[in-house]
Structure formats: C-alpha cells, structure tokens
Amino acid sequence: MTLKPLGKSIKDYDKVVTTTCSNQCESACGMLIYVKEGKVVDIWGDPESPNNQGALCPKGTGAFQHIYNPLRVKYPMIRKTLRDEFQRVPWDDALDFTSERLLKLKEKYGAEALMIHRTGRSDMMWKSGAARFGRIFGTPNVVGQGPICCESPGVTGNYVFGAKELLRLMNPSMDWVNSKCILVAGSHMAANEVTTIRHILDAQERGAKVIWIDPRFNSSMAKADIAIRLRPNTDAALVMGMINVILNEDLYNHDFVEKWVLGLDEWRPLIDKMTPERAANITWVPKETIIEAARTFATNTPASMTGNLGTAQTYNSININRCYMILLALTGSVGVRGGGWNWLHNCRPPMSAGKDLAKLPPIKAPAISDKLVGWADISAANFPNAIFTQKPYPVRGVWWNGNMLAQMPFTQKYAAAFIKNVDIAIHNSFHPNFTQHHAHVSFPITSWVEREGIAHHGNNRLCSWFNQCIEPNWECRSDADVVAGIADRIFGKEEGLKWFPWRKKDNPELIDLAAMTDWIQQQETFTYGCIKKTCDPATNPKGGVMWPAFTEEEAMKYEFADAKVRGKWIMYQDEPYPESDKRFPTPSGKIEITSKPLEDIGWDYLPQHRESYPTQVSSPEDFKEHPIVLCTGRLVSSFHEMGHWWPWCDELEPDRFIVIHPKLAEVLGIEDGDYVKLESFRSEIDGYAWVSEETDPRQVWVPCSTDEYQPFVPGVTNRNVSWLVDDIITDPVYNQAQFKAQLVLVWKKGTDKKEALKKTHEFLKQFPGYPVDLESELGAYTNGVALKNAPIWDKKKKKVVYNGEVAEDGNVLPFTED
C-alpha cells in the first residue's frame, strides 16, 4: 500500500526542521516542522522517513496544540502542603525549596525515603539523569514505567531466547512484508501504532495471513483473516491449545526444533492436557478457531508475531509470553527474513546511567520490591502500601513526571497515601494533571520541539534523534535541567558539575542535551555508535539506527542491501549473539521451553496457564459481588496524558466510555449513552455506556490513561480506570499490574445496584464455567498473605481504610451517588 504525500506546507515559513516525533507512541515517525520567526506554524510527516513515509497519526498533527497549549504548566510553582494553592515563584526559589526538603528528608529518614519514577514520556535524559541522581543521592528506589507498561514480555525473552537485559524486537516492522503469516496479540495497532499497521496491510497485499488476538474486537482485528477474541489472561491456554494441534498434526519444523529448542519433550504432557476443547472452555474461543489458527500459523512460514500491552498487564504474563515465543520457535521463524518475535513499545536499548557510578559506595537499604527477578525496573505499583503504612521503612518523597499517579493501580489509595505521608512530591509538568495536583513543586518542562535528544523507546530497536525546532516557551526547561539544578544544590556546585558536567557554555545552570545524550549513549556498548552525529535525520539517512551499533561506522551501515534502516536489521541469525559466543545466550545455548533460572527464583519450570486474580475461579467471594470481567486499553486520540489535553485529539473520542455488550445492556436496562457506574473491590468509577458487540457479554472494556482533571469533559466521568485495578496481586515475576483482568459490577446510575447484581448473575448462568485445575493452575495469591494487613477500600464509606481508620482522600473529585 503506497502512501502519497500531498506535498509541502502552504503556510508562510522561513525554516523547516527535519526531526522525529517523540513523546507520543514508539513509531519514531519522521517529521518536518515548519517555523516562522521562531514559531511553529505547521507539522508534516516526512515522506523520506522509512518509518512513516510521510504519514502522521492524530497525535502527530495535533502536537501543534501541545506546543502552544494555554493549559500547559508555564512557570515554576510551589506550595507548603498539598492542600494549599500553588504559588508562582522564580526557578531558583523552586529549586531551593525542593532541595531543602530533600535534604531534610534524607537527614531524618535516610536517602531511601525518596522514590524516583522515571519514564521516557519527556525524554531519555530524564530516564538516565534521574537514575544518575538517585544513585548519587543514595536511594535504591529508582523505579521505571516498564512494570506498569509492557516490559514483562522482554523479561520473558531473556529466559527463553537469551538477551542482554530484556529481549527486544528481532525483526523490524518494515520486514513484515516478507512474512507469510503475522500473529498479533494484545495490540490495537490501528489506534496506537497508526503508521506501523501499514506494514501489516502491505504484507496482506502480498498474500500474508493475519491472526489477531485481543479481548475486544476492534478496528485492528477487522483487518485480520482470523480474529480471536479471548478471555483476558488466558493466552497461555490458547497458545498451548494451538501447539497441541501443531504437534499432533506434525506441523512443526523438526530440524530447527531438534537443533535449537530445549525441553519440548518435558512440556509435552502439559500440552497433551490442553486440548483445543479444554482451551476453548478456558479462553471463550471456539475450538474450531483454535485449530484453524494453529494450522494457519504453522503452515505459512516464515511467520512473525507482534503485540503490546495485552500480553503484559496480567498475572500470567511471563508464561503467556513464553508460550507465544515457543509457538514461533516451533515454526523455525527465528533469525530469518519475515520471521521474529517483534513486540512493539518494548524496544529501548540496554542503558547505563554512567560507568563512573560504580565507584560510589553500595546502597545498604533494600529497594521496595517484591518481584521475583532481581534485575530490570522496579515497579511503582509496589509503593502505595509502603507510603501509606511506612513499612518496611518510611517513603516520604516522590519525584516523577508525566501523569504517573493517575495510572497507578488502586489510585485512590495511592493519592490518599500522598496526603497522609509525603513531605515532598516533585513533578516535572506538562499539564496541571492529576499527578501535578498531588505535588508540592511543579517544574514546567519543555516539549520535544523545544529541546533535542534521542526519541524514547523507538520501535524496531531504533535510536532516533529529534532536533530542537524553537526556543523553550514561557519559562520551560528540560527535565535534565531540573535534575542538574537540584544536584547543584544537594551535592554542592562543585560536585554537581562533577556528576552533571554537560553544561551550556552560555548558561552553566542548563544542560547541553546533545553532549549529555552522546555521553550516556556511549556508556553502553550496544548504543555506542548511536549518537547525534549518526542519528540526526537532518544530516543522515532518515529513520534512525537499529541497535546494537558498537561503533559510529556500524551505525552508518545497512546490514542488507534492501534494509530500510541502518544498523542491525535482524537479530538471532545463525551467528553468535552480540557479545556472546552463542546464537542464543541462554544457559543451554538454545531456546529454552524449560527454565531452571525461572524455577530457581520461584516461578514455573514449564510454561502453563495460571488463572489471574480475581476471577470466578480464583476468587469466588469477589465474583459474588463483582461478576463481570473488566479489560482496558488505549485509544487513538491519546497516549498517556498526550492528546487528552488538546482539542483536536480529544474531540475524536471525548468521553471515557464503558463498552457493554448489547445482551448484558438489555438485561440491565442500559442504552447507548446512558450514565453507568462500575465497582470493583478497589473502588468505583462513572462513565457513559457504549453498547457494542465489540466486547464479550461477560466483559466490559474501558479505555485507560484518562484523568479527572483533563479539560473538555465532566471530570468524574473521566476518572482513570486504574482506580478499579488491584495494586497487590500482580505478575509475580515482574510486578506487572493487572490492567487486563479484573472483576467489576456494572449498573445504570439511579437504578438498584443489588437488583443489577442479581440480574447479572442470572444472565451469566447461560455460560459454562472454566475447567481450571484448582490444584495446579491457580497462583501464589491463594494463600492470601499479600492481601492481609493492607489498606482496603470500604465501598459503603467510599474511602480507603487502614487498621479501622478512615483515610483522608487525596486531591480528588467527590464520588457521585449510586
């Protein structure tokens, strides 16, 4: 499918800046920013970029309203308590205020009392700079967005295929045209990777079969040859049922499996047990569809697979992704054109905050984390209990960016914990969002057109450069400037310059972002060649560089003549993995179905289905009160907070709706557009019904990443669905919160809630139960230890309660009446 750019802007301009879209999704779309007298006047996709070929999604074109949004935080602001009003102050005053409170916190409670949450929603130098600051300050609680977002598939790949840190995409999306079959799991690509789905459509035009798996039928699945709508968290059962067919019908690649796969014989008894019939009853997917998908994937090779958050944000994430990876390996579609495990949004390179940090003394306090893996990011989902209860030790300071608080599971508890126990909350702010409403200090930060650097987490293992197009608006500074300003005050000017030496010559209080980025990139061998000199689209071939690139020379080379982007085009070819003597850097040197390393940390030796919590099987008591499955996802109009604050994007999908199947809606007397309420055992939210067959009758679907303080819509109906999500029972290996599988009750506002519950249970009697093995297929939550002695939600009081004491709510809007 050929995209035909219309030409160039008709606006009056005096400069065109070639750059890359950053801080939206991960597609790394090439952009042309048209500027007149220092002001952006137009934004176009770059037709020469192989990543998007001139196309942009609504968020790309709508970014104009981000740059000049009158709602942006424009000036530094502080307040003494979270109940006070913000006061505008000079930058020096805000930095002094912050530093004084951090020093008091460290003196009274220790450095570990500070939690720093880094995400690339601003830029990579916040991720690296904040990690660097945290290590020097002495806190072990430097956390990342990965365990809230979608990094558990990458963790899984480390154990299955072997990798340096997390497994990232093997083949780029531009290579999908060489696939004979593409399987997509848990990604609404038409909404969230709008320019990337083009590569699937191109492959279809060349004859590729497409299998699309998701709990909600959506516009992406409408393009598939086989669309599979399954019960959330049951992908392992689905894929094991497919593998049952492939093995029994002898459809797998014997030569590849015998040479490169370990453990198939040991896994076979579990596969034999998961027949298509049993898998169908667990997953809601007809057995005929399971059989058809298995035969299609196995007989159309090379095959590739891709996905996103859907296989991450759930209890059994590690086993689910193990199963998908093994399914791919059975076809032999690894290290070849048209093959590969190619998860999107999961592609940042290995990172180092600086080799020089190794000379610092070790941090004695343990990080607050209960994940089984002792590496990769720590989850912020671990912290509401710690902040609320001050156990195992006090955490009384938080520093983050974006709109992280609004996205945290059991948001009401997290916000109440801030009011109760946080002495200094620092926010690097774009908008006066929910997180900023729970901050003592708000620093205005620049948009990506007001600075330069490496784009965040580019799909395709891309390091892509974005260029500064205009001077910072208002009094905005980069996140790295904020870090340096606080470092100069906390550690002293001399030490601040020692640890953050990349200063602008004309203003040593500010960071030279190009110099800092290049230095950080060259602290890690895999990205040593990926610097401004090689990545800048204004002076190099467009599209960026696919890491690893160990030298500048490697970064300038195309691996194959037909490769669209420079760097390492395909990973896991029949050659040693970079910095290894094995093709697959696992203990055995093979793709491992069995995993002694996972067993050693307390997880499953063999991948299997494990029922999430809560479901009607794993939590029958909760099911009595909340009998409908809840699943969540993203919309085309926004990416985290981006888009929601811009009229052009928000008018595409103005309401945070609740998708309800027509059959369930009829039973409950709900019509399209009605005001409805959802309740879980964690909290409740309001919203407007979208009656649609997109979702299963036993499930409701709600978009995520909304915010009750966003403009344009009634606030309480825009409250984020994370309020309903449990913060305690998470994926045990990596602590991924279960945004894809909760239980709720739904009713029309103003009707009898108890009657709605009774009608729902009567309605569900027509559906069969799940044949889950209660002895072997439940999870670690069965002992109930994690849920004991934790703050809970009292649905009568609509408050968080701890040890019988009702907690004061955070800065939240009041609940409505039932």
Side-chain angles (χ1 to χ4, degrees), residues 95-165:
L95 292 167
D96 289 344
F97 172 86
T98 304
S99 302
E100 288 169 7
R101 289 215 173 180
L102 286 175
L103 287 169
K104 289 179 181 178
L105 175 143
K106 185 174 183 179
E107 180 181 1
K108 187 173 182 179
Y109 300 106
E112 64 271 17
L114 174 64
M115 184 266 273
I116 303 177
H117 187 155
R118 313 112 58 243
T119 172
R121 285 308 116 217
S122 48
D123 75 33
M124 293 293 273
M125 290 309 99
W126 163 241
K127 200 169 185 77
S128 298
R132 188 169 174 81
F133 176 92
R135 180 65 184 87
I136 301 162
F137 187 78
T139 179
N141 295 314
V142 177
V143 309
Q145 185 66 0
I148 295 293
C149 190
C150 63
E151 281 197 344
S152 59
V155 172
T156 306
N158 181 283
Y159 292 97
V160 177
F161 291 103
K164 185 172 186 178
E165 296 186 6

Side-chain angles (χ1 to χ4, degrees), residues 364-624:
K364 295 181 180 180
I368 292 178
S369 175
D370 62 0
K371 63 188 177 76
L372 295 177
V373 293
W375 52 280
D377 275 340
I378 298 167
S379 175
N382 289 131
F383 283 83
N385 273 346
I387 297 172
F388 203 106
T389 67
Q390 298 291 283
K391 297 175 182 178
Y393 54 73
V395 175
R396 305 189 69 89
V398 176
W399 187 4
W400 48 11
N401 70 323
N403 199 12
M404 306 321 307
L405 182 56
Q407 299 173 45
M408 291 297 116
F410 200 174
T411 314
Q412 188 178 358
K413 178 168 75 173
Y414 224 136
F418 268 57
I419 297 296
K420 181 178 175 66
N421 286 322
V422 171
D423 299 323
I424 175 64
I426 310 162
H427 188 234
N428 298 355
S429 307
F430 281 134
H431 307 114
N433 55 33
F434 186 83
T435 307
Q436 196 251 13
H437 274 72
H438 291 82
H440 295 92
V441 57
S442 175
F443 291 113
I445 57 171
T446 50
S447 68
W448 48 269
V449 299
E450 300 163 69
R451 48 182 155 81
E452 64 178 329
I454 289 285
H456 172 254
H457 290 202
N459 287 341
N460 301 328
R461 285 182 282 108
L462 275 178
C463 286
S464 301
W465 193 268
F466 61 93
N467 283 306
Q468 183 171 344
C469 306
I470 60 173
E471 291 300 310
N473 286 314
W474 304 292
E475 292 184 11
C476 297
R477 296 184 183 180
S478 75
D479 300 82
D481 294 335
V482 178
V483 174
I486 295 174
D488 289 348
R489 288 160 173 79
I490 295 283
F491 310 130
K493 192 69 174 181
E494 184 176 341
E495 285 293 297
L497 287 169
K498 170 187 171 183
W499 294 110
F500 296 90
W502 319 279
R503 306 301 177 103
K504 291 186 175 181
K505 293 179 180 179
D506 59 345
N507 188 347
E509 293 184 356
L510 306 182
I511 291 291
D512 180 332
L513 287 170
M516 181 180 179
T517 302
D518 285 356
W519 188 88
I520 289 291
Q521 290 288 94
Q522 295 192 328
Q523 297 301 293
E524 167 53 52
T525 56
F526 271 41
T527 57
Y528 192 91
C530 304
I531 57 177
K532 179 175 182 178
K533 179 181 176 182
T534 58
C535 293
D536 186 346
T539 57
N540 293 286
K542 308 290 179 65
V545 177
M546 293 181 67
W547 57 268
F550 294 92
T551 64
E552 293 177 30
E553 290 73 23
E554 284 189 27
M556 296 304 296
K557 293 179 180 178
Y558 293 88
E559 186 175 23
F560 302 110
D562 60 345
K564 306 299 182 185
V565 180
R566 293 166 289 142
K568 186 66 176 173
W569 189 245
I570 298 175
M571 297 290 283
Y572 297 99
Q573 297 175 55
D574 196 356
E575 62 187 15
Y577 183 88
E579 299 184 337
S580 173
D581 59 356
K582 304 173 183 177
R583 179 181 180 182
F584 301 103
T586 59
S588 66
K590 295 184 176 183
I591 301 168
E592 296 194 350
I593 298 175
T594 56
S595 180
K596 187 65 167 58
L598 278 173
E599 183 183 46
D600 287 345
I601 63 173
W603 192 240
D604 293 321
Y605 177 66
L606 290 165
Q608 65 170 80
H609 170 67
R610 284 202 178 275
E611 192 74 2
S612 63
Y613 183 98
T615 71
Q616 69 180 73
V617 176
S618 62
S619 182
E621 290 303 313
D622 188 31
F623 177 73
K624 290 178 183 178

Side-chain angles (χ1 to χ4, degrees), residues 722-754:
S722 59
W723 280 61
L724 303 179
V725 177
D726 181 33
D727 64 309
I728 295 178
I729 306 301
T730 62
D731 149 41
V733 179
Y734 196 48
N735 282 161
Q736 292 272 182
Q738 296 189 79
F739 286 89
K740 303 306 179 191
Q742 297 288 320
L743 285 178
V744 294
L745 172 67
V746 57
W747 72 99
K748 182 178 177 179
K749 181 175 169 58
T751 63
D752 190 303
K753 184 167 74 168
K754 290 183 179 180

Side-chain angles (χ1 to χ4, degrees), residues 231-238 240 270 274 278 282 314-320 322-323 372 602-613 615 617-618 730-733 738 741 772-782:
R231 181 166 69 96
N233 189 63
T234 63
D235 303 57
L238 170 71
M240 290 171 71
L270 283 177
M274 191 61 74
R278 182 166 185 261
I282 291 174
T314 189
Y315 182 83
N316 201 35
S317 175
I318 298 298
N319 283 337
I320 285 170
R322 290 169 80 184
C323 290
L372 295 177
W603 192 240
D604 293 321
Y605 177 66
L606 290 165
Q608 65 170 80
H609 170 67
R610 284 202 178 275
E611 192 74 2
S612 63
Y613 183 98
T615 71
V617 176
S618 62
T730 62
D731 149 41
V733 179
Q738 296 189 79
V772 173
D773 188 329
L774 300 181
E775 295 296 322
S776 65
E777 292 180 333
L778 298 183
Y781 46 75
T782 53

Side-chain angles (χ1 to χ4, degrees), residues 625 745 747 751-761:
E625 299 295 321
L745 172 67
W747 72 99
T751 63
D752 190 303
K753 184 167 74 168
K754 290 183 179 180
E755 186 65 20
L757 178 62
K758 180 181 177 181
K759 289 180 177 179
T760 301
H761 275 292

Side-chain angles (χ1 to χ4, degrees), residues 786-807:
L787 292 169
K788 289 181 179 178
N789 302 316
I792 62 171
W793 188 65
D794 187 314
K795 66 180 181 181
K796 291 183 179 179
K797 297 182 176 71
K798 298 190 178 182
K799 295 284 187 178
V800 178
V801 176
Y802 180 56
N803 289 339
E805 181 181 339
V806 177

Side-chain angles (χ1 to χ4, degrees), residues 667-681:
V667 167
L668 298 177
I670 295 172
E671 296 184 357
D672 201 51
D674 279 351
Y675 195 121
V676 299
K677 296 176 76 73
L678 289 183
E679 175 193 276
S680 75
F681 79 124

